[in-house]
Amino acid sequence: MKSTHFSRHTSIRRRHVARGFTLIEIMVVVVILGILAAIVAPNVMRRIDDAQLTKVASDIRTIETALNLYRMDNFRYPTTEQGIKALYEKPNDSSVRNWKPGGYLDPTARKDPWGNDYRYVYPGTHGKEFDLFTYGADNQEGGEGLDADIGNWVQDKQ
């Protein structure tokens, strides 16, 4: 007899513990999460855009440094045709005699934050010895905001 009383008491307890959330409680939580997402998401997205622009500025400085090291070793900058590739892969050019084994730049550094190759023109057309730039997120010349062209000639003004 005792065992039936004990098992009946335990099953009543389990039913009481197994009670779930009401629909109202779930709706309140969903509404609160929605409000938080609406407030936080725009701020996070703005920070991502800022981070991409900061990465471009850093990448351009890094590639400029690698180009200057290349010039010190080889007495000239790579040609436009050789491009940034000359910094991580030895050009097939007999005048490049002192190319540093292992290169001057990691090949992954040639891409901007949007996955497009950085562009290089020698001699430069913006008052610098060379132009190093990206066309921005849209990968097209011109634009505003994230789509704006960003180059080493702009870096000096910031």
Side-chain angles (χ1 to χ4, degrees), residues 26 43 56 58 63 69 72 79-80 89 94 99 110 114 133 141 149 152 156:
I26 292 172
N43 292 329
V56 169
S58 174
I63 297 169
L69 291 171
M72 284 193 286
T79 65
T80 299
E89 191 175 295
S94 61
W99 194 82
R110 70 176 198 250
W114 304 282
F133 59 99
E141 194 170 352
D149 302 347
N152 60 336
D156 295 339

Side-chain angles (χ1 to χ4, degrees), residues 19-30:
R19 207 181 123 224
F21 295 106
T22 66
L23 182 60
I24 299 286
E25 290 170 329
I26 292 172
M27 288 177 61
V28 167
V29 169
V30 169

Side-chain angles (χ1 to χ4, degrees), residues 48 51-57 59 111-116 118 134 137:
I48 290 171
Q52 289 173 323
L53 295 174
T54 301
K55 182 177 182 332
V56 169
D59 288 350
K111 299 272 187 193
D112 68 17
W114 304 282
N116 306 309
Y118 282 103
T134 177

